[in-house]
């Protein structure tokens, strides 16, 4: 589109165009109008809520701007500290353009360091990138698409691809198949017959088998976004074998961080009767010697896997346990789940049905071990339309310490469960 076109001319022509062509032309016009001008989008106030020092932790915010304020693609967004003038380049993701309203919806992510209880004001500004400025240093690499993806940073390699080695790994689901721990530990985490990340999963009353998100075959929505700070996949479709359940799932992989996040939502679109409903399930071969977890009241329990039965029979792990992990005492590697959010409210804000919600440490075939959060635990339960089950977890690879073996997961749980606030 010529930059000389007037806004009135664009509007008259747009009426005769298809929506996709219209969006392309509007984007081009916005580039001509907004690019090259530094504009202020607004102000963000950051605050550290937990009395903890924060070193290069990520802040994610969602914003809405008019097309006169920002051009996507084209402009960069910067967070500029009010007092020091320090400029931080932001990554834009989750873009949504609304031509009729002339609005752009998008999210930003950027790293920041704060002192305990520090409050800092940042101004968000946009403009063309400085050609002399290099992109932020990153260790993130991605190979493939949303359903056949390998992601690597300095701490791990996450493999989300399919494999012909077994039926359980053969589907193009985009679910984590195996995880290689780096940092000198050089340990592959995997499951012989199945993908490693095996939930959410569900079993209909009267059915002999349960099904899992790992059985998705090319879900209808599958997107991949890449940048220097964040690589994100998003997928959505009905659950395999359970068209009454609409599944949404997202992975988030971060630069220079030993964890990745997973978000899933199960929405019941038609009444269904289930005997099993689970999320936060990681299943692995016989690779660990111990299990450790924190109860909601703060007590930390650390047990050899072989000795857990009597303890957990007396008091199962709570469904809302803040974190849990498996580790190998002699080899020093560990892998755990930090629970960031569990939301089982329905579309009216009331509790969705559950039965005996708890976290289980279970035995698999050939010595395998897995943890899983059970929301419906082996009893036929009616889930009405509008029921909803959401989770957000951070999955952490770490090395056990000589003193406090669990120091790393305690450190990250404290910070990730109390994120920097952005207003």
């Amino acid at each position: 589109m010529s930059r000389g076109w007037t806004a009135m001319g664009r509007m008259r022509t747009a009426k005769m165009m298809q929506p996709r062509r219209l969006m392309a032309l509007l984007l081009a016009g916005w580039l001509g109008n907004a690019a090259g001008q530094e504009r202020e989008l607004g102000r963000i106030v950051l605050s550290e809520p937990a009395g903890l020092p924060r070193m290069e932790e990520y802040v994610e915010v969602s914003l809405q701007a008019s097309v006169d304020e920002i051009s996507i693609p084209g402009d960069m967004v910067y967070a500029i500290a009010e007092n020091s003038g320090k400029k931080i380049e932001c990554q834009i993701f989750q873009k949504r353009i609304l031509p009729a309203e002339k609005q752009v919806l998008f999210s930003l992510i950027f790293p920041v360091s704060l002192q305990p209880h520090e409050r800092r004001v940042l101004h968000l500004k946009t403009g063309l990138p400085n050609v002399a400025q290099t992109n932020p240093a990153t260790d993130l690499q991605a190979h493939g698409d949303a359903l056949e993806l390998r992601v690597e940073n300095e701490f791990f390699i996450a493999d989300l691809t399919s494999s012909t080695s077994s039926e359980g790994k053969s589907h193009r689901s985009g679910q984590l198949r195996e995880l290689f721990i780096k940092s000198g530990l050089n340990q592959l985490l995997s499951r012989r017959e199945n993908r490693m990340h095996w939930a959410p999963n569900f079993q209909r009353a009267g059915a002999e088998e349960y099904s899992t998100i790992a059985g998705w075959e090319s879900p209808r929505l599958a997107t991949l976004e890449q940048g220097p700070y964040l690589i994100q996949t998003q997928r959505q479709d009905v659950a395999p074998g359970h068209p009454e359940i609409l599944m949404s799932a997202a992975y988030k992989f971060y630069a220079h961080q030993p964890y990745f996040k997973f978000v899933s939502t199960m929405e019941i679109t038609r009444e269904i009767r289930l005997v099993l409903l689970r999320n936060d399930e990681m299943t692995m071969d016989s690779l660990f010697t111990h299990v450790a977890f924190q109860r909601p009241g703060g007590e930390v329990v650390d047990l050899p896997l072989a000795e857990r039965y009597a303890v957990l029979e007396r008091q199962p792990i709570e469904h809302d346990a803040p974190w849990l992990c498996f580790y190998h005492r002699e080899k020093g590697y560990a892998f755990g789940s930090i629970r960031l959010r569990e939301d089982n409210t329905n579309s009216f804000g009331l509790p969705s049905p559950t039965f005996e919600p708890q976290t289980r440490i279970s035995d698999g075939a050939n010595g395998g071990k897995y943890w899983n959060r059970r929301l419906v635990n082996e009893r036929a339960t009616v889930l009405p339309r509008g029921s909803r089950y959401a989770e957000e977890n951070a999955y952490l690879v770490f090395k056990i310490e000589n003193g406090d073996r669990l120091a790393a997961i305690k450190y990250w749980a404290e910070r990730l469960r109390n994120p920097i606030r952005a207003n």
Side-chain angles (χ1 to χ4, degrees), residues 188-371:
L188 179 67
L189 305 182
S190 64
R191 186 73 176 112
R192 184 178 305 177
E193 297 298 325
N194 298 320
R195 287 181 182 263
M196 177 180 168
H197 195 182
W198 203 238
N201 53 52
F202 6 78
Q203 184 174 355
R204 189 187 304 275
E208 294 184 4
E209 302 288 339
Y210 71 87
S211 65
T212 163
I213 188 176
W216 254 348
E217 191 63 63
S218 300
R220 285 179 291 178
L221 172 67
T223 64
L224 170 64
E225 293 190 89
Q226 302 181 53
Y229 303 136
L230 173 69
I231 293 173
Q232 175 176 269
T233 69
Q234 291 183 307
R235 296 160 292 148
Q236 187 179 68
D237 205 341
V238 296
H242 296 71
E244 302 90 342
I245 304 175
L246 177 64
M247 281 289 312
S248 304
Y251 282 109
K252 291 184 173 185
F253 300 95
Y254 299 90
H256 306 295
Q257 301 297 349
Y259 62 85
F260 60 93
K261 292 180 182 178
F262 178 74
V263 182
S264 81
T265 304
M266 295 178 279
E267 299 179 56
I268 309 303
T269 59
R270 297 199 307 271
E271 181 179 297
I272 187 172
R273 201 159 167 258
L274 297 182
V275 295
L276 185 69
L277 184 66
R278 300 187 289 193
N279 61 22
D280 188 17
E281 179 177 342
M282 286 286 179
T283 175
M284 291 154 283
D285 288 336
S286 182
L287 300 169
F288 303 94
T289 61
H290 286 66
V291 58
F293 58 90
Q294 184 182 45
R295 295 196 184 276
E299 177 191 6
V300 174
V301 180
D302 185 356
L303 295 167
L305 277 164
E307 298 177 14
R308 75 184 190 277
Y309 301 100
V311 173
L312 299 186
E313 185 176 339
R314 289 194 304 269
Q315 185 181 356
I317 304 174
E318 292 80 2
H319 68 96
D320 56 348
W323 59 261
L324 73 155
C325 67
F326 290 166
Y327 68 88
H328 195 291
R329 177 77 177 269
E330 288 71 38
K331 296 182 179 180
Y333 59 80
F335 178 56
S337 172
I338 300 171
R339 272 82 175 269
L340 305 180
R341 179 172 60 93
E342 180 188 9
D343 182 1
N344 299 326
T345 54
N346 66 17
S347 56
F348 296 102
L350 301 173
S352 299
T354 60
F355 179 71
E356 292 185 348
Q358 60 185 277
T359 300
R360 287 277 192 93
I361 308 298
S362 304
D363 295 308
N366 303 307
K369 297 287 184 291
Y370 60 101
W371 70 70

Side-chain angles (χ1 to χ4, degrees), residues 122-135:
L122 302 176
H123 292 267
L124 293 178
K125 294 191 176 183
T126 180
L128 276 177
N130 186 336
V131 293
Q133 189 174 29
T134 58
N135 289 329

Side-chain angles (χ1 to χ4, degrees), residues 8-62:
M8 184 63 69
R10 285 198 300 269
M11 290 297 292
R12 284 198 299 265
T13 306
K15 294 179 181 179
M16 300 181 288
M17 297 177 180
Q18 296 297 319
R20 184 174 296 179
R21 177 64 174 158
L22 170 61
M23 183 173 293
L25 290 174
L26 283 171
L27 281 172
W30 297 339
L31 274 170
N33 291 334
Q37 302 178 27
E38 186 172 84
R39 298 170 181 268
E40 181 149 350
L41 295 178
R43 190 181 75 150
I44 295 180
V45 179
L46 301 180
S47 57
E48 197 293 310
L52 303 170
R54 310 293 182 127
M55 295 298 297
E56 295 296 298
E57 293 188 25
Y58 287 112
V59 173
E60 298 179 43
V61 294
S62 296

Side-chain angles (χ1 to χ4, degrees), residues 352-408:
S352 299
T354 60
F355 179 71
E356 292 185 348
Q358 60 185 277
T359 300
R360 287 277 192 93
I361 308 298
S362 304
D363 295 308
N366 303 307
K369 297 287 184 291
Y370 60 101
W371 70 70
N372 60 103
R373 175 162 51 198
R374 299 192 173 205
L375 302 172
V376 174
N377 182 30
E378 299 180 350
R379 191 185 80 168
T381 303
V382 174
L383 308 186
R385 177 183 177 182
S387 300
R388 182 176 175 274
Y389 305 86
E391 62 171 334
E392 181 180 7
N393 310 309
Y395 292 107
L396 176 74
V397 298
F398 64 101
K399 186 175 183 178
I400 62 172
E401 305 290 345
N402 291 329
D404 183 353
R405 287 176 287 193
L406 305 170

Side-chain angles (χ1 to χ4, degrees), residues 164-176:
T164 58
S165 63
S166 70
E167 195 283 331
K169 300 177 182 180
S170 65
H171 304 279
R172 278 174 48 86
S173 64
Q175 200 74 355
L176 180 69

